[in-house]
Structures are given as structure tokens and as C-alpha cells.
Amino acid sequence: MITIYHNPRCSKSREGLAVLEKSGKEFKVVKYLEDVLTEKELSEIIHLLDIPAINLVRKNEKIWKEEYKGKELSEKELIKAMIAHPKLIERPIIVNGTKAVIGRPVSDIQSII
């Protein structure tokens, strides 16, 4: 099952959702600002993305600049920051089995669907 971690207020996330809708494949939408991920879920997604946690952080968000910028944070601390402030999570994230991508650019989504 394909899953999109989606923020309806984000244009890139909406574009990613449209790609999945056009694909004709079955998928599930997780509005991660409402249904906040657990540490375990976010850790698994980061593992599937095969990136360090810092690469999933939206560094231009106000909360990042005010509370975290310039600090040396461990992977676990970064994950906890994203759980505490889901707006920090880059979007959209598409997971299909053992593969995952950040849908920026949205054309990257094609590689796993």
C-alpha cells in the first residue's frame, strides 16, 4: 500500500497527492499535522528514505530558527523535535513498501509508484 504523508496547506504536498490520484493506484493519506507520527514511525520513514534526520527538517520554519538553529542535535533529538513540531517535517513523503521519497520535486514520486 502506498502512503502519502500530506499537508493539505502545502502546494507541493497537494501536487504530490495529485500525482498519486492520477496514477490510479490505491493509496492512503496521512495528514501528519493532525495524526502526529510516533518516534518509531518517523524513525522508520527516515530509515526508508535513507537520509539523516536533519535532511527531513524544514530549516526555514520559524520554530526551527527560534529553537533549534545552530544547536548540535543527535538523530534522536531531531526526531523528537519533528514529533513535537510536525511543521518541521519536509513534505510530501511517499512510502511504498520498502521504498520512500520526499516528493520534492514531485517527479521523484514516479520512481516508487
Side-chain angles (χ1 to χ4, degrees), residues 23-70:
S23 76
K25 298 189 180 193
E26 195 174 320
F27 64 92
K28 172 174 82 169
V29 176
V30 175
K31 295 180 182 175
Y32 66 90
L33 293 179
E34 297 169 17
D35 298 320
V36 178
L37 299 168
T38 65
E39 259 185 78
K40 183 177 186 236
E41 289 169 328
L42 187 55
S43 295
E44 288 172 1
I45 291 168
I46 290 167
H47 175 73
L48 292 175
L49 288 167
D50 195 27
I51 61 172
I54 191 68
N55 289 6
L56 193 58
V57 173
R58 295 174 54 84
K59 295 168 199 75
N60 285 327
E61 289 291 336
K62 183 179 178 185
I63 192 78
W64 177 261
K65 291 176 181 178
E66 290 177 352
E67 293 192 27
Y68 302 103
K69 187 177 179 182

Side-chain angles (χ1 to χ4, degrees), residues 20 27 30 33 44 67 73 83 90-91 100 102 106-107 112:
L20 291 178
F27 64 92
V30 175
L33 293 179
E44 288 172 1
E67 293 192 27
L73 301 172
I83 297 299
E90 190 61 79
R91 65 231 177 206
I102 300 169
V106 292
S107 58
I112 69 164

Side-chain angles (χ1 to χ4, degrees), residues 11-22:
S11 64
K12 291 294 182 196
S13 197
R14 290 192 305 270
E15 287 175 29
L17 183 62
V19 168
L20 291 178
E21 289 169 341
K22 287 178 188 169

